[in-house]
Every structure is written in C-alpha cells, then in structure tokens.
Amino acid sequence: MTEETETPAVDLAGIRDAVSVRLPAVSAYLSVLRTATAGLAARLDFTLDQIEDLRIAVDEACAMLLRQAVPGTDLVAEFELTGEEMTVRVEVSTVGVTTPKRDDFAWMVLTALADDVDATSDSPDHMAIVLRKRRGAARPA
C-alpha cells in the first residue's frame, strides 16, 4: 500500500456521527429501523447482546409512539454515535401532548434494555423517546 491508498485506523473514541431515518409511521417499516439500529451499533463495536438490547428497545419505543401517531405522518429516528455511546431519538406527530406511562410494562422494558430513557415533547403535537446505550456499560443485576 502506498501512503495515499492506506486506510487510516479507526479511533472509536473520535467517532461522532449523526444519522437520520424518516419512515412512514406504520409498524410495517420498523424492520428497516431495527436493521439500521443494529448496523450503527455494530459500527461502535457493541457486543451482540448490547446490539440486540438496543434493537428491542428501539422497536419498543417506536411501538409506543406509533399508538399516538397521526395517521399518514412520518416517524423520525435520529442516531448520534460517539466513541462509547449511541443516542437514539424517535419522534412522531401526535394530536395533543401525551407522554408514555412510566409505570407500564413497555416503559420497564425500555429502562431495562437501555442505559438512559426519557420521553420528551418539544411542542404540543410531537412526542419523542430518547434512548442512550453505552458500549462499556453493564446492565444492573
């Protein structure tokens, strides 16, 4: 290899990428989002268990949001990757502000699979769930 064709070594600590995915707010498209989640988590060298946890968490967050989504609108997923962490924000348009119940089974699943979970509403007609998963973090016993 010459100096010009040599592929530089990837320093995971220096990675900071942002990826956005816009899909119809219909459950049939969630498989695309699960695949994107797994691929991006693999880019950060997450373990197979962490990748699967993140895929399930994103799927569950989307399922919660789709129940509130205005028909015919989009679900937007924004992924932010840093060297040690992936943050996923999924958002839909809603009719009125509704936040997920933090004491139901779906919320407990989210909090068990992701390191941090939050629900936000920046405006009266949007709801978002934000998940964070760190590469080195272990789930509590």
Side-chain angles (χ1 to χ4, degrees):
M1 281 188 181
T2 68
E3 187 176 319
E4 295 161 358
T5 60
E6 186 176 328
T7 304
V10 176
D11 174 18
L12 290 178
I15 290 177
R16 187 177 182 293
D17 292 333
V19 176
S20 294
V21 178
R22 179 179 295 272
L23 303 166
V26 177
S27 62
Y29 291 98
L30 292 184
S31 62
V32 173
L33 199 52
R34 287 190 300 268
T35 301
T37 300
L40 292 169
R43 176 163 160 59
L44 292 179
D45 288 334
F46 278 38
T47 66
L48 292 176
D49 286 341
Q50 290 173 321
I51 291 170
E52 190 60 22
D53 286 352
L54 197 50
R55 284 183 53 196
I56 294 168
V58 168
D59 192 59
E60 191 64 42
C62 290
M64 292 172 72
L65 291 174
L66 289 179
R67 288 192 288 269
Q68 307 296 326
V70 175
T73 60
D74 291 335
L75 179 142
V76 177
E78 296 173 343
F79 299 86
E80 183 177 338
L81 290 70
T82 61
E84 296 291 323
E85 180 179 271
M86 180 189 295
T87 301
V88 184
R89 177 186 169 94
V90 288
E91 181 177 354
V92 296
S93 295
T94 62
V95 176
V97 176
T98 57
T99 57
K101 294 179 183 174
R102 294 176 188 246
D103 61 349
D104 71 357
F105 181 72
W107 192 262
M108 289 190 307
V109 168
L110 286 178
T111 58
L113 296 173
D115 296 322
D116 296 308
V117 181
D118 195 17
T120 64
S121 182
D122 297 337
S123 68
D125 59 350
H126 282 84
M127 184 170 61
I129 295 177
V130 180
L131 310 168
R132 285 183 190 79
K133 185 79 169 169
R134 285 177 284 286
R135 185 162 43 106
R139 284 189 281 185

